[in-house]
């Protein structure tokens, strides 16, 4: 960020690495009081289709996140409410693609550090993947457009997914998956605000037998629009971005 404050003029694709632009974009999220991140995804594993929905809402100093995963083999729903140093987790039942009946009694209440150890990150971290000089492969690149930047990041399939593996194991109650490839395409505007990310990844999980899984997920970011954090009796209304 110090580098960006000193030099943020002209075509930044010529002076910054892909992982630098992405991390500057994530850092700038902290400047907004209201942020909504919505995820829409599909996983195909041995002919079984699994839908993924997720949302994170930042409302001043309070944060909310939920994950919904639905297939004919897996139905999982988790909600997290973070305030100060506490993250409270709730499970769901009667799970549908974009809704669930949420238990009114929390499953756990953990400190942010404890939650990060279990789930891979607390809610103040905007992204579960590790984007750094140590995880981005040389095939990563930046393309300047009239509206901003397109950043394509190929991640080391082991180290880039370390946090994500923890999350996957807790959501789906599986053994740690083995990743073969992770590509993420980020759309940034000219001020490096994150607008969209598109993930394409392949991994293997053991579900009695080894199952090769291919997943695609698109996340949309919206800023400065005040959206109330849903209470435990309410479901979030998902709306795809542009």
């Amino acid at each position: 960020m110090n580098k960006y404050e000193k030099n943020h003029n002209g075509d930044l694709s010529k002076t910054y690495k892909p992982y630098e632009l992405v991390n500057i974009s994530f850092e700038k999220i902290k400047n907004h009081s209201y942020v909504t991140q919505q995820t829409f995804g599909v996983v195909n594993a041995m002919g079984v289709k699994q839908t993924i929905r997720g949302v994170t809402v930042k409302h001043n100093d309070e944060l909310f996140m939920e994950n919904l995963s639905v297939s004919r083999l897996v139905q999982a729903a988790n909600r997290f409410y973070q305030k100060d140093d506490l993250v409270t987790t709730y499970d769901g039942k009667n799970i549908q693609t974009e809704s669930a009946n949420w238990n009114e009694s929390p499953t756990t209440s953990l400190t942010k550090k404890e939650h990060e150890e279990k789930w891979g990150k607390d809610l103040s971290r905007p992204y579960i993947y590790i984007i750094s000089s140590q995880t981005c492969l040389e095939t990563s690149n930046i393309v300047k457009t009239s509206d901003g930047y397109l950043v394509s990041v190929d991640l080391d399939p082991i180290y880039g997914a370390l946090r994500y593996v923890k999350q996957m194991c807790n959501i789906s109650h599986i053994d740690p998956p083995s990743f073969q490839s992770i590509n993420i395409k980020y759309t940034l505007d000219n001020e490096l605000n994150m607008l969209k990310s598109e993930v394409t990844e392949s991994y293997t999980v053991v579900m009695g037998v080894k199952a090769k899984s291919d997943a695609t997920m698109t996340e949309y970011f919206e800023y400065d629009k005040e959206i109330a954090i849903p209470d435990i009796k309410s479901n979030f209304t998902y709306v795809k971005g542009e």
Side-chain angles (χ1 to χ4, degrees):
M1 288 304 293
N2 288 336
K3 179 180 175 181
Y4 177 71
E5 291 300 325
K6 294 175 183 177
N7 178 21
H8 54 267
N9 297 314
D11 183 354
L12 301 183
S13 67
K14 300 182 184 300
T15 52
Y16 288 85
K17 302 289 187 182
Y19 66 87
E20 290 179 315
L21 287 193
V22 171
N23 280 295
I24 291 169
S25 182
F26 286 143
E27 189 68 21
K28 294 187 78 170
I29 290 176
K30 297 177 182 179
N31 298 331
H32 300 272
S33 296
Y34 307 114
V35 183
T36 305
Q37 303 169 221
Q38 296 185 63
T39 302
F40 299 80
V42 177
V43 181
N44 287 293
M46 298 179 65
V48 177
K49 179 181 175 182
Q50 181 176 346
T51 61
I52 305 294
R53 292 291 184 273
V55 63
T56 299
V57 177
K58 178 185 178 186
H59 191 280
N60 292 316
D61 295 328
E62 295 187 43
L63 292 140
F64 162 81
M65 184 173 79
E66 76 174 20
N67 298 307
L68 297 161
S69 301
V70 178
S71 73
R72 60 182 174 84
L73 300 177
V74 175
Q75 293 85 39
N78 306 101
R79 267 192 172 183
F80 313 96
Y81 294 82
Q82 180 172 311
K83 186 176 182 180
D84 300 325
D85 191 48
L86 191 67
V87 185
T88 307
T89 303
Y90 297 83
D91 293 337
K93 56 189 176 183
N94 301 324
I95 303 162
Q96 305 298 316
T97 301
E98 297 186 349
S99 66
N101 293 334
W102 299 99
N103 297 332
E104 295 188 26
S105 298
T107 307
T108 59
S109 291
L110 304 174
T111 65
K112 289 193 295 185
K113 184 176 181 180
E114 290 169 339
H115 186 84
E116 181 178 2
E117 283 295 318
K118 181 175 181 179
W119 289 89
K121 76 178 190 71
D122 70 61
L123 276 61
S124 61
R125 181 185 175 93
Y127 222 60
I128 194 68
Y129 300 92
I130 300 173
I131 314 294
S132 75
S133 60
Q134 302 300 307
T135 62
C136 287
L137 304 181
E138 292 183 359
T139 48
S140 303
N141 64 81
I142 306 169
V143 175
K144 180 71 179 77
T145 69
S146 59
D147 298 321
Y149 300 87
L150 298 178
V151 185
S152 179
V153 171
D154 290 312
L155 290 182
D156 181 282
I158 297 175
Y159 297 108
L162 287 175
R163 292 175 179 270
Y164 186 35
V165 164
K166 288 185 178 182
Q167 186 185 82
M168 293 176 72
C169 290
N170 278 288
I171 290 175
S172 300
H173 304 292
I174 56 175
D175 291 332
S178 174
F179 277 80
Q180 287 80 53
S181 64
I182 305 170
N183 173 263
I184 311 174
K185 291 180 171 60
Y186 298 97
T187 302
L188 316 180
D189 67 16
N190 279 308
E191 284 70 48
L192 301 190
N193 293 303
M194 179 75 66
L195 304 179
K196 183 171 68 171
S197 73
E198 299 167 276
V199 178
T200 303
E201 59 191 17
S202 295
Y203 55 88
T204 302
V205 295
V206 177
M207 303 172 65
V209 297
K210 287 186 177 181
K212 176 75 181 312
S213 300
D214 296 301
T216 58
M217 289 176 286
T218 302
E219 185 168 25
Y220 301 93
F221 295 74
E222 187 173 25
Y223 304 97
D224 305 324
K225 179 180 179 181
E226 184 175 2
I227 293 178
I229 290 175
D231 62 35
I232 204 63
K233 295 182 179 180
S234 304
N235 280 297
F236 181 82
T237 301
Y238 287 86
V239 180
K240 285 189 177 182
E242 296 297 331

